C-alpha cells in the first residue's frame, strides 16, 4: 500500500510536468535528495515547451514549484493513511505507511525521521521497492550496485548488507511469473471475507481513489453510481441488477489512474497517443478487477461504460445486441453526469437532456435508459450539509479547493478577498485534520461534500 497515495499530488505535478507517470518511473534512477534530486526535477520540467517557454517554467518552479513538490510527499502520506484507515488496515501498518518517503540519513519527508526511528517494515519496503525496479529493468548487478551507492543514505545499511550477502535468494524470490498470486498465497492469515453489506463501502473507497487523479473528476464516480442506481430502479430492474449498476458506477474510472494527469488537464486537443490511452480506461478498469470473481463481474459491466449501441464506443466497439440493460443505463448515467461537469477543454453543458436525446436519435444511447436517467434529474447526487463543524462558507471553499482551484480563483468565484480565503482554507484543513489539497479532497469525497454539480 505504500504507493497508493501517489494520486494525491498528480494534479500539482501535472502543472509542471507533461507525464507524472513517466516522472515517477524515472525518479528511481536518482538518489532522491539534495542537488541530484533538484537536477532531476528541473531537468524534466516542461519537456514539450520550447527553450523560451521552458525557461519561464524553470523560474516558476524554483520560486514555488519545489515547495509544491515537497508538499506532495505529505499529501501522498496523508491520502495513503486515509485509505488505509477506511480499509481497516492494522494500526501498525498505518503508522509505517506515513513513513514511505523517510530516509535512513534523515533527509526524507515529511518528518525527517532517521535511522531506527523509521519503522523496520518500512525500511524493508524502501529497499525492496528500488531493488525490484532496478532488477526488473537493468538486471541483478545493476540492482546491487544501486544498493551499494545508497547504503547509509537512502537505505538501512544493515538491510543492504543482508541483501548483498543473500542476493541470489532475494532475486529468486522476485523472479516469479505472477507476483500477485505469489503474495496472496503467502498472506492467507491476513484474509478477511468482506460481507456483501460492506462491499459498497469498499468500492466507494475505490471511487474516491480513482477520482482523486484529477480535480476535474472529483466526486464523479459516486455521482454516476447514484444516478445509475436511480435509473435502474425507475426501469423496474430487480434489486441485484440495481446493485450491480450502482457498483459498476463506483469503479468505472479506476483505470483512469493509468493515464497521465497531464492528459486529463490538457486544455486543447489530445495527441493520437493520448487519445488512445484515454480509450483504454474502461479496459484497464475491467482488468484491474479481473482477479476476483465478484469484482470481475462488476468490472465487466464497468468496462462497458463507454460502449455505444451503434458500435462507435470503446474499448471493444460493442453493438446493441451485445449490451445489457444494465450497461445501457450505466452509459447514459455516465454521459449525463460528465456533461454537467466542467473540463479543461470545455465548460459544463447547460442542456444535458438535449445532448442525451441527440445521442438517442443518433443511435448511440438507449432511449429507455436515457429517459430513466433524466427522470432522476435533480434527485442525485445528494450533498451533505454539515460535517466536522465546517461552516457554510467553509463548505463552499472546501468544494472549490477539492476542484484544484487556487486561493485567488476561489476568492474571485466567491467574491471575497484572497486573505479571507486563506483563513478559510486554514480552518478547513484544521477541521478535516489534514494539510494538503489531495488529502482534503479525499475527506470531501468520503463525507459526501464533493458532489460535482
Amino acid at each position: 500500500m505504500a504507493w497508493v497515495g501517489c494520486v494525491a499530488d498528480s494534479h500539482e505535478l501535472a502543472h509542471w510536468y507533461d507525464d507524472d507517470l513517466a516522472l515517477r518511473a524515472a525518479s528511481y534512477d536518482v538518489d532522491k535528495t539534495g542537488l541530484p534530486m533538484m537536477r532531476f526535477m528541473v531537468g524534466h520540467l516542461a519537456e514539450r515547451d520550447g527553450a523560451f517557454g521552458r525557461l519561464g517554467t524553470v523560474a516558476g518552479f524554483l520560486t514555488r514549484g519545489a515547495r509544491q513538490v515537497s508538499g506532495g510527499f505529505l499529501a501522498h502520506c496523508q491520502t495513503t493513511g486515509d485509505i488505509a484507515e477506511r480499509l481497516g488496515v492494522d494500526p501498525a501498518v498505518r503508522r509505517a505507511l506515513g513513513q514511505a518517503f523517510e530516509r535512513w540519513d534523515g533527509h526524507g519527508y515529511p518528518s525527517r525521521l532517521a535511522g531506527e526511528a523509521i519503522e523496520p517494515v518500512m525500511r524493508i519496503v524502501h529497499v525492496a521497492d528500488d531493488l525490484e525496479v532496478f532488477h526488473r529493468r537493468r538486471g541483478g548487478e545493476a540492482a546491487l550496485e544501486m544498493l551499494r551507492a545508497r547504503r547509509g543514505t537512502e537505505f538501512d545499511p544493515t538491510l543492504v548488507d543482508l541483501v548483498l550477502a543473500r542476493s541470489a535468494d532475494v532475486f529468486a524470490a522476485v523472479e516469479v511469473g505472477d507476483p500477485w498470486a505469489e503474495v496472496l498465497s503467502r498472506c492467507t492469515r491476513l484474509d478477511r471475507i468482506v460481507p456483501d453489506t460492506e462491499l459498497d463501502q469498499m468500492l466507494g473507497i475505490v471511487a474516491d481513489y480513482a477520482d482523486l487523479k484529477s480535480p476535474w473528476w472529483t466526486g464523479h464516480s459516486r455521482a454516476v453510481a447514484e444516478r445509475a442506481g436511480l435509473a435502474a430502479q425507475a426501469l423496474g430492474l430487480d434489486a441485484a441488477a440495481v446493485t450491480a449498476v450502482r457498483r459498476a458506477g463506483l469503479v468505472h474510472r479506476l483505470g483512469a489512474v493509468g493515464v497521465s494527469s497531464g492528459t486529463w488537464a490538457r486544455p486543447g486537443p489530445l495527441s493520437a497517443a493520448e487519445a488512445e490511452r484515454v480509450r483504454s480506461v474502461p479496459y484497464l478498469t475491467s482488468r484491474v478487477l479481473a482477479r476476483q470473481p465478484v469484482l470481475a463481474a462488476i468490472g465487466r459491466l464497468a468496462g462497458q461504460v463507454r460502449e455505444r449501441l451503434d458500435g462507435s464506443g470503446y474499448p471493444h466497439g460493442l453493438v446493441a445486441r451485445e449490451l445489457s440493460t444494465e450497461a445501457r443505463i450505466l452509459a447514459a448515467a455516465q454521459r449525463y453526469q460528465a456533461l454537467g461537469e466542467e473540463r479543461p477543454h470545455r465548460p459544463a453543458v447547460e442542456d444535458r437532456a438535449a445532448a442525451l436525446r441527440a445521442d438517442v436519435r443518433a443511435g448511440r444511447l438507449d432511449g429507455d435508459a436515457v429517459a430513466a436517467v433524466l427522470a432522476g434529474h435533480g434527485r442525485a447526487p445528494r450533498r451533505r450539509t454539515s460535517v466536522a463543524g465546517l461552516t457554510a462558507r467553509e463548505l463552499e471553499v472546501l468544494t472549490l479547493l477539492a476542484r484544484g482551484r487556487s486561493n485567488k480563483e476561489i476568492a474571485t468565484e466567491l467574491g471575497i478577498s484572497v486573505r479571507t480565503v486563506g483563513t478559510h482554507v486554514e480552518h478547513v484543513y484544521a477541521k478535516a485534520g489534514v494539510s494538503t489539497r489531495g488529502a482534503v479532497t479525499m475527506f470531501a469525497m468520503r463525507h459526501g461534500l464533493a458532489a460535482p454539480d
Side-chain angles (χ1 to χ4, degrees):
M1 289 194 65
W3 309 124
V4 167
C6 66
V7 295
D9 65 333
S10 292
H11 175 65
E12 282 73 16
L13 284 179
H15 179 76
W16 303 103
Y17 301 96
D18 295 321
D19 189 338
D20 60 299
L21 300 179
L23 180 77
R24 295 183 200 279
S27 70
Y28 283 93
D29 294 333
V30 64
D31 191 351
K32 294 179 278 294
T33 190
L35 288 177
M37 183 60 172
M38 182 58 72
R39 282 196 298 269
F40 170 81
M41 300 302 290
V42 171
H44 286 77
L45 284 170
E47 293 174 310
R48 285 190 176 192
D49 295 348
F52 183 77
R54 192 168 183 276
L55 184 63
T57 301
V58 170
F61 180 82
L62 293 176
T63 57
R64 65 184 188 280
R67 185 172 63 254
Q68 288 182 351
V69 171
S70 298
F73 294 125
L74 180 58
H76 178 121
C77 293
Q78 290 181 344
T79 302
T80 302
D82 177 271
I83 294 172
E85 179 186 2
R86 293 165 69 182
L87 289 173
V89 172
D90 185 274
V93 178
R94 299 207 306 265
R95 185 169 60 250
L97 288 172
Q99 301 172 4
F101 294 103
E102 301 292 355
R103 294 169 53 96
W104 179 262
D105 60 10
H107 293 163
Y109 298 93
S111 302
R112 301 287 184 176
L113 299 179
E116 295 185 359
I118 303 170
E119 294 287 330
V121 293
M122 186 49 70
R123 282 182 261 151
I124 293 172
V125 169
H126 288 159
V127 172
D129 178 43
D130 286 43
L131 185 70
E132 188 279 328
V133 172
F134 268 79
H135 178 264
R136 173 164 41 85
R137 289 179 176 175
R138 302 182 185 179
E141 189 50 48
L144 297 179
E145 183 58 35
M146 178 274 299
L147 287 184
R148 294 187 189 102
R150 302 181 190 181
R151 180 186 183 277
T153 55
E154 187 173 355
F155 304 132
D156 179 343
T158 302
L159 287 175
V160 170
D161 293 343
L162 179 63
V163 173
L164 294 175
R166 301 186 58 181
S167 59
D169 293 337
V170 172
F171 292 150
V174 298
E175 290 174 344
V176 296
D178 189 349
W180 271 111
E182 189 76 9
V183 168
L184 293 174
S185 69
R186 296 185 182 201
C187 292
T188 54
R189 67 186 182 85
L190 300 178
D191 285 353
R192 179 175 75 87
I193 299 298
V194 177
D196 190 70
T197 53
E198 293 182 23
L199 186 54
D200 281 10
Q201 178 184 346
M202 295 294 184
L203 297 180
I205 300 171
V206 173
D208 295 345
Y209 168 74
D211 289 351
L212 188 60
K213 178 70 176 177
S214 170
W216 299 99
W217 299 89
T218 300
H220 173 82
S221 295
R222 286 183 182 269
V224 169
E226 189 162 358
R227 291 196 186 283
L230 287 171
Q233 288 177 334
L235 284 180
L237 273 62
D238 61 31
V242 172
T243 297
V245 169
R246 188 180 67 251
R247 288 174 174 173
L250 286 171
V251 303
H252 79 276
R253 273 191 56 77
L254 180 55
V257 177
V259 177
S260 163
S261 290
T263 297
W264 296 125
R266 189 82 64 223
L270 300 180
S271 68
E274 289 172 328
E276 197 60 32
R277 190 63 176 171
V278 168
R279 288 170 64 89
S280 74
V281 168
Y283 171 78
L284 294 174
T285 296
S286 63
R287 296 311 304 158
V288 167
L289 298 169
R291 288 182 174 272
Q292 201 281 333
V294 174
L295 297 182
I298 297 169
R300 281 192 295 272
L301 178 55
Q304 297 177 17
V305 67
R306 293 287 189 163
E307 301 289 357
R308 296 296 181 258
L309 302 183
D310 62 354
S312 63
Y314 58 86
H316 300 299
L318 302 180
V319 295
R321 66 178 180 275
E322 299 170 292
L323 294 170
S324 65
T325 300
E326 292 90 335
R328 298 175 186 212
I329 292 171
L330 183 63
Q334 193 281 332
R335 172 80 167 145
Y336 180 85
Q337 185 60 42
L339 287 175
E341 299 167 7
E342 184 183 2
R343 296 288 182 260
H345 60 283
R346 63 157 176 83
V349 175
E350 291 187 11
D351 194 346
R352 291 182 280 177
L356 261 66
R357 291 185 180 114
D359 284 331
V360 172
R361 290 193 297 273
R364 291 185 290 268
L365 293 179
D366 179 85
D368 290 339
V370 165
V373 169
L374 296 179
H377 172 70
R379 291 193 289 156
R382 296 186 299 269
R383 180 180 296 180
R384 295 267 302 271
T385 57
S386 179
V387 69
L390 292 165
T391 67
R393 178 62 86 185
E394 289 165 353
L395 285 169
E396 290 179 317
V397 170
L398 170 58
T399 300
L400 295 172
L401 192 63
R403 307 233 171 281
R405 303 291 200 273
S406 67
N407 284 14
K408 184 177 180 180
E409 290 169 332
I410 295 173
T412 299
E413 187 153 345
L414 297 182
I416 57 180
S417 71
V418 175
R419 183 174 181 178
T420 300
V421 170
T423 300
H424 287 314
V425 169
E426 290 179 6
H427 292 167
V428 168
Y429 281 151
K431 291 178 180 180
V434 298
S435 56
T436 62
R437 185 204 60 82
V440 87
T441 301
M442 285 294 283
F443 173 87
M445 291 190 289
R446 175 180 185 175
H447 293 286
L449 304 173
D453 53 355

